[in-house]
Amino acid sequence: MSNVSPFQPKLLSKINERLVLRMIQERGPSTRSEMSKYIGVTFPTVAKAVSSLLESQLLEEIDDASAGPGRPAKRLRLASENSQVIGITLSGDECTVVAGDLNGTVHKESVLRFPTPATYELLLAEIETCAKSFISSSGKSTLGVGVSVPAVIDYGKQVAIMSANLPLVNGKSIGKDIQNLLGHECVIIHDSHALSLSERLHGNAKELSNFVMLDHCIGIGLGLMVEGRFLTGDSGFAGEIGHSPVVLDGELCKCGKKGCLETVASEWAVEERVSKLLGRPVQISEVLELAQGGNLEVMQELERMCDYLAIGVAHVVNILNPGTFFIYGRVFEACPKLFDLLVEKTEELALKPSVAACSFARANGSLLDGTVASVINYLTDSLVPNLEDYLSSLSQGDSQNSIADETLVPS
């Protein structure tokens, strides 16, 4: 068995730093001794990794309140006192800018909202004003910015390729443009992926590596998590279920095609139908108030929405065979029985073995939380983008327990 590591010392240092971060993310504030035991590395190796993470402001030290007599041990936690990240959510009607810490906590006092402007230039100006107010007034170091976009995203180029519901970002390098304005690294993420991250961090997917997230809002999107990674497809376009055709020669969709799922099952489709029903324009918030108030005609329109949405959900169940299927949307928050109806209709349409193996649940995460989580993921994963691949290589090479100085031994 060779004692020579297949990796360079600098990479090994980064791997150790990533393992330290992952442990704290999973187990909370920890001492250096606890890290050494849990990760399976020597104390000096942990100390070196922690020192680097403290210097980069990803971690901070706190006193161990549970320590006994004598000099108290120091625990390390994800930075919250002196560091922050900025999260930005974009949609067709409203945009939000927030500040959060590296635990993924959104600072409720640091939330600014504004109506979505008519042009890309005005959008950038609003974002710059809001974000800079947090950056300049917080007294904290801003480590990065995350932006969730309702668009098909080229993750490699960080470009919003196409958004049916926010066309002003089409073809724009919005991440790069915001980075240039704010002077901080910026990453963009599909809004369905942001919701998936939020569910893993704050919701019911903490122990799940494989699940599906349906994002039902103005548009309809799908987040696919496989072995802890997003399934984005060859060009990043996977999950665009809202633009799957379900009605032959149906209504014109905002994407330019006809009969898409969004034309019969999205919030904007419901708004259009209820507006025709009432003879005046209404927004989804009023639609839901009418449904909650017992308006039978409005409720029938929402049930019709579920009929079509179940077709799309059944396709996903049959094709992907997910173990857990999360449903996100304010329609289902306001009218929980519509969630039950959607599941019932899906069970009628999907293959029995596939749907029997699938658990349906309402999502508990939020888009804001997920956007903040996207920055945290970017900051931590940038240390070692393919951590699991490296750990697998170490295992296959039988190099565990044999790396001098930069020992790396996953527990």
Side-chain angles (χ1 to χ4, degrees):
M1 181 171 64
S2 172
N3 285 328
V4 179
S5 168
F7 304 119
Q8 295 297 318
K10 185 176 181 180
L11 174 57
L12 288 170
S13 295
K14 293 300 180 184
I15 293 175
N16 289 325
E17 290 171 26
R18 182 66 186 91
L19 287 171
V20 166
L21 284 173
R22 185 165 75 173
M23 176 186 171
I24 296 175
Q25 286 174 319
E26 293 175 352
R27 299 173 68 89
S30 306
T31 66
R32 292 168 175 81
S33 293
E34 289 169 345
M35 294 176 197
S36 177
K37 292 176 183 177
Y38 181 77
I39 301 172
V41 300
T42 64
F43 188 91
T45 298
V46 165
K48 181 179 179 181
V50 166
S51 177
S52 177
L53 292 169
L54 286 170
E55 185 177 349
S56 62
Q57 298 182 296
L58 292 171
L59 294 182
E60 57 192 22
E61 282 188 313
I62 57 174
D63 289 332
D64 185 359
S66 64
R71 184 179 179 182
K74 294 288 187 179
R75 288 190 175 273
L76 285 305
R77 70 180 181 188
L78 296 173
S80 59
E81 294 274 335
N82 302 310
S83 300
Q84 68 176 6
V85 294
I86 303 295
I88 303 166
T89 65
L90 306 181
S91 73
D93 56 357
E94 184 180 71
C95 303
T96 307
V97 182
V98 302
D101 60 37
L102 268 70
N103 282 311
T105 303
V106 172
H107 302 154
K108 301 304 181 185
E109 71 280 4
S110 301
V111 179
L112 293 175
R113 292 183 171 86
F114 58 88
T116 302
T119 68
Y120 183 67
E121 289 71 25
L122 288 175
L123 175 65
L124 291 179
E126 288 280 8
I127 290 172
E128 181 181 17
T129 299
C130 293
K132 282 188 174 179
S133 70
F134 295 145
I135 294 169
S136 61
S137 65
S138 67
K140 300 180 179 182
S141 295
T142 299
L143 303 184
V145 181
V147 186
S148 66
V149 189
V152 173
I153 292 174
D154 184 326
Y155 279 107
K157 297 179 180 178
Q158 286 285 286
V159 174
I161 301 297
M162 184 195 77
S163 175
N165 298 302
L166 190 62
L168 59 85
V169 302
N170 288 351
K172 303 295 186 181
S173 301
I174 187 166
K176 181 179 179 181
D177 292 338
I178 292 175
Q179 182 169 316
N180 289 338
L181 287 172
L182 301 181
H184 296 283
E185 286 190 280
C186 182
V187 59
I188 62 174
I189 185 172
H190 193 293
D191 53 0
S192 299
H193 294 166
L195 283 170
S196 300
L197 284 176
S198 176
E199 200 66 28
R200 288 202 80 187
L201 185 64
H202 301 288
N204 295 322
K206 292 180 180 178
E207 305 298 324
L208 300 178
S209 296
N210 301 281
F211 63 88
V212 171
M213 171 69 70
L214 180 75
D215 176 15
H216 181 270
C217 52
I218 294 177
I220 303 172
L222 199 71
L224 311 171
M225 185 75 76
V226 180
E227 297 301 326
R229 300 180 183 180
F230 290 122
L231 179 63
T232 58
D234 184 64
S235 302
F237 304 161
E240 291 299 319
I241 188 176
H243 300 290
S244 299
V246 295
V247 181
L248 290 177
D249 200 29
E251 296 290 329
L252 183 66
C253 182
K254 294 181 180 181
C255 73
K257 303 293 183 180
K258 286 187 174 182
C260 294
L261 183 61
E262 286 193 7
T263 66
V264 287
S266 66
E267 285 185 356
W268 67 260
V270 172
E271 287 176 342
E272 287 189 357
R273 289 200 301 272
V274 176
S275 294
K276 290 179 181 178
L277 179 68
L278 301 180
R280 60 180 177 82
V282 297
Q283 294 185 328
I284 193 65
S285 56
E286 185 179 355
V287 171
L288 297 178
E289 288 176 2
L290 290 168
Q292 290 172 324
N295 188 306
L296 295 180
E297 290 181 310
V298 170
M299 183 56 73
Q300 286 175 352
E301 288 297 336
L302 291 170
E303 290 172 353
R304 179 175 180 267
M305 174 203 79
C306 287
D307 288 339
Y308 282 107
L309 192 57
I311 296 173
V313 174
H315 286 327
V316 175
V317 171
N318 287 347
I319 294 170
L320 297 178
N321 186 216
T324 306
F325 206 130
F326 291 104
I327 308 293
Y328 174 86
R330 49 188 161 181
V331 168
F332 303 105
E333 283 186 32
C335 304
K337 70 177 185 178
L338 290 175
F339 170 80
D340 297 329
L341 179 63
L342 175 61
V343 174
E344 178 185 329
K345 295 291 185 181
T346 300
E347 290 174 341
E348 292 175 0
L349 296 173
L351 285 172
K352 288 186 178 180
S354 298
V355 78
C358 182
S359 173
F360 293 90
R362 282 173 51 197
N364 286 334
S366 74
L367 194 54
L368 284 177
D369 289 333
T371 305
V372 169
S374 73
V375 200
I376 298 168
N377 263 29
Y378 172 76
L379 292 171
T380 56
D381 288 349
S382 63
L383 292 172
V384 186
N386 300 306
L387 176 63
E388 300 303 331
D389 292 342
Y390 286 118
L391 296 182
S392 176
S393 297
L394 282 168
S395 178
Q396 292 172 8
D398 196 25
S399 56
Q400 288 130 318
N401 299 303
S402 64
I403 302 177
D405 298 326
E406 292 291 346
T407 307
L408 174 64
V409 190
S411 60

